[in-house]
């Protein structure tokens, strides 16, 4: 979900961001952007980038079973509840939002994540 | 005292401009020999550095870039159609010129990202595999050579494929 919604080269798939998303559509580790699958090292690097954004807050939210995820800047920005240059990428209640918040809660909503893994153009494109 | 400080600070900001923007413009280098500023200049460069609203380009673009025939040559793809559709539905169509450049003025199309893109030329119909999320300069992500932070230039055909020519007058 992070790859498709956040990780392009013109957003969080670049070195200039504190949240960096590594993978096929963005920044690579030892690879060429746009080619080859996302590697385990890149998933790990993305994971580390996410968890160090607000480590104390994230720990509290996780410890409380994922309650109050809006305490996290990551969630607020994705939902468009806080200024975000990329706009609202995971509206409250959307599959992308359910994917993200269920992961934080430790109860991953697999179907929501699978559905959010792709982005589709407007009808008729 | 504080009013005077505010006035001095404002004056300094106006005088100095935006050093980050100035550096980005300077990094593009001079015009190519014999090419005047205009629709045919600086193919492959990130157009919105100068045409993004901060100058020095007069026209403000929302999306602009350069299309090549092949990944590994400098042959431009002229007369192709670039179709852009934004998340909220509006779309626009623009053609590539004889150096492969295309540009959309913000007054004509001010997209809500993400933006989906396809290039058409005759029977060719190539859809960009991912949407554009926020940068109107194609060259921001499509620099000449593929690297860890660039997917390489925009191209439409594998090496050796026959494509119509086209040259500048």
């Amino acid at each position: 979900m992070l790859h498709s919604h956040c990780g392009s080269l013109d957003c969080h798939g670049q070195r200039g961001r504190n949240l960096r998303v590594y993978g096929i559509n963005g920044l690579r580790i030892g690879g060429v952007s746009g080619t080859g699958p996302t590697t385990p090292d890149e998933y790990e690097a993305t994971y580390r980038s996410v968890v160090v954004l607000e480590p104390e807050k994230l720990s509290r939210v996780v410890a409380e079973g994922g309650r109050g995820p809006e305490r996290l800047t990551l969630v607020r920005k994705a939902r468009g509840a806080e200024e975000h240059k990329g706009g609202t990428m995971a509206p409250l209640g959307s599959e992308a939002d359910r994917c993200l918040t269920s992961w934080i809660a430790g109860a991953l909503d697999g179907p929501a994540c699978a559905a959010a893994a792709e982005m589709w153009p407007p009808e008729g494109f | 005292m504080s009013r005077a400080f505010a006035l001095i600070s404002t004056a300094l900001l106006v005088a100095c401009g935006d050093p980050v923007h100035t550096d980005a413009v300077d990094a593009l280098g001079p015009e190519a020999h014999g090419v005047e500023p205009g629709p045919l200049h600086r193919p492959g460069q990130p157009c919105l550095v100068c045409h993004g609203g901060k100058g020095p380009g007069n026209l403000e673009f929302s999306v602009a870039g350069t299309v090549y025939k092949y990944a590994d040559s400098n042959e431009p793809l002229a007369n192709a159609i670039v179709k852009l559709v934004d998340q909220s539905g509006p779309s626009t169509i623009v053609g590539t010129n004889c150096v492969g450049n295309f540009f959309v003025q913000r007054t004509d199309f001010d997209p809500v990202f993400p933006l989906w893109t396809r290039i058409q030329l005759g029977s060719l119909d190539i859809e960009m595999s991912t949407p554009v999320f926020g940068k109107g300069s194609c060259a921001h992500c499509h620099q000449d050579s593929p690297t860890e932070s660039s997917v390489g230039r925009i191209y439409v055909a594998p090496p050796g494929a026959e494509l119509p020519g086209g040259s500048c007058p």
Side-chain angles (χ1 to χ4, degrees), chain B residues 47-48 51-52 60-66 82-86 92 94 101-106 109-113 115-117 132 134-138 154:
Chain B
C47 313
L48 270 68
H51 292 281
E60 182 179 353
F61 301 155
S62 56
V63 184
T66 307
V82 180
K83 184 177 182 184
L84 308 160
V85 179
D86 89 5
T92 194
V94 63
N101 284 350
F102 69 92
F103 47 91
V104 179
Q105 291 193 54
R106 192 174 296 282
F109 181 63
D110 193 6
V112 175
F113 291 95
L115 184 69
W116 278 264
T117 307
V132 180
K135 296 287 186 183
S137 278
C138 301
I154 303 170

Side-chain angles (χ1 to χ4, degrees), chain B residues 131-148:
Chain B
V132 180
F133 281 89
K135 296 287 186 183
S137 278
C138 301
H140 181 85
C141 304
H142 292 277
Q143 295 153 24
D144 274 351
S145 302
T147 66
E148 64 174 15

Side-chain angles (χ1 to χ4, degrees), chain B residues 57-156:
Chain B
N58 288 328
L59 296 178
E60 182 179 353
F61 301 155
S62 56
V63 184
T66 307
V67 185
Y68 295 90
K69 288 181 177 177
Y70 315 109
D72 56 356
S73 86
N74 285 328
E75 286 185 79
L77 185 73
N79 305 315
I81 298 297
V82 180
K83 184 177 182 184
L84 308 160
V85 179
D86 89 5
Q87 177 68 22
S88 59
S91 65
T92 194
I93 289 174
V94 63
T96 60
N97 63 25
C98 64
V99 299
N101 284 350
F102 69 92
F103 47 91
V104 179
Q105 291 193 54
R106 192 174 296 282
T107 50
D108 295 330
F109 181 63
D110 193 6
V112 175
F113 291 95
L115 184 69
W116 278 264
T117 307
R118 67 192 326 143
I119 297 171
Q120 298 169 317
L121 180 70
S123 59
L124 272 177
D125 187 353
I126 312 288
E127 183 179 337
M128 186 168 152
S129 59
T130 64
V132 180
F133 281 89
K135 296 287 186 183
S137 278
C138 301
H140 181 85
C141 304
H142 292 277
Q143 295 153 24
D144 274 351
S145 302
T147 66
E148 64 174 15
S149 58
S150 167
V151 293
R153 57 181 47 169
I154 303 170
Y155 69 96
V156 298

Side-chain angles (χ1 to χ4, degrees), chain A residues 5-65:
Chain A
H5 286 66
C6 318
S8 66
L9 283 169
D10 58 343
C11 289
H12 289 282
Q14 56 178 292
R15 292 195 180 281
R17 301 302 176 93
N18 52 357
L19 169 58
R20 294 182 189 174
V21 178
Y22 295 83
I24 180 173
N25 295 328
L27 190 61
R28 305 308 303 265
I29 299 175
V32 173
S33 190
T35 63
T38 301
T39 67
D41 283 350
E42 289 166 341
Y43 282 114
E44 176 70 17
T46 300
Y47 169 78
R48 289 181 181 277
S49 180
V50 170
V51 298
V52 301
L53 285 171
E54 294 176 301
E56 293 85 3
K57 277 187 189 174
L58 180 61
S59 293
R60 282 198 294 273
V61 173
V62 169
E64 293 168 15

